[in-house]
Amino acid sequence: AQVRGLAPQCFSVVSISHHYLHMARNNAHEFLAGEKVSLKKYLYVVRALLAARWSIRRQSPAPMLFSELMAAELEPEMHPLLTLMLEEKQRAGEKTPHARIPELDVWIASVFTEVESAIQELHRAAKPSWGVLDAAFMKVLEDEGLMG
């Protein structure tokens, strides 16, 4: 509980944004290379990119709910396409191959560029201090009698 309370001041937007970008890039590279792709894998990439946007713009961890990310971070003109994809994924199943969606491929490429550029700007920002976490960890060790 003590450490959890320190999380907001030790949160690293750079680290979490790199994490989400890496997730999106790996899923795109591994699962979106063919002519037929899984809608589920498309959505994995979209979710990671929206989460990166959220973290960069709000300087906080992204929510778990895809619907919340979509409402907050997805361009309004993309909502109908993503809504149709979610409905089709539920109807047809997660592993059903689907033709590539050029409009979504363009959006993904654009957001990759946007997020990469934003991360470069974040690198210039101050890094969180780990001293408070170190102190909290030492206190836990002392409280547990592990420091001699």
Side-chain angles (χ1 to χ4, degrees):
Q2 188 177 14
V3 173
R4 192 172 293 134
L6 298 173
Q9 69 189 89
C10 297
F11 173 74
S12 171
V13 177
V14 172
S15 294
I16 197 71
S17 299
H18 272 294
H19 167 71
Y20 288 133
L21 183 62
H22 182 72
M23 284 176 47
R25 191 178 315 288
N26 282 354
N27 278 305
H29 178 73
E30 188 171 344
F31 301 112
L32 303 183
E35 288 184 32
K36 297 273 187 180
V37 297
S38 158
L39 292 179
K40 179 179 180 177
K41 301 303 182 182
Y42 254 138
L43 293 169
Y44 279 172
V45 173
V46 170
R47 188 204 186 286
L49 290 171
L50 293 177
R53 263 187 177 174
W54 174 290
S55 293
I56 290 165
R57 291 177 178 174
R58 289 172 175 72
Q59 304 285 300
S60 68
M64 293 300 296
L65 291 177
F66 184 76
S67 59
E68 192 175 343
L69 279 173
M70 210 172 117
E73 297 299 332
L74 186 66
E75 293 85 343
E77 63 271 15
M78 293 298 291
H79 279 253
L81 174 60
L82 269 286
T83 300
L84 282 172
M85 286 175 63
L86 289 166
E87 290 169 359
E88 186 169 336
K89 180 183 141 265
Q90 287 182 328
R91 190 174 44 253
E94 294 183 347
K95 296 187 182 202
T96 303
H98 191 281
R100 295 188 66 87
I101 305 169
E103 180 183 5
L104 188 56
D105 290 336
V106 168
W107 180 87
I108 288 170
S110 170
V111 178
F112 267 124
T113 301
E114 169 196 321
V115 168
E116 288 166 347
S117 176
I119 288 172
Q120 290 306 313
E121 291 299 314
L122 290 173
H123 277 291
R124 296 186 184 111
K127 295 189 168 129
S129 169
W130 295 106
V132 292
L133 280 178
D134 289 342
F137 180 67
M138 295 303 288
K139 173 125 176 59
V140 168
L141 292 177
E142 283 177 24
D143 291 350
E144 295 296 319
L146 299 172
M147 294 291 291

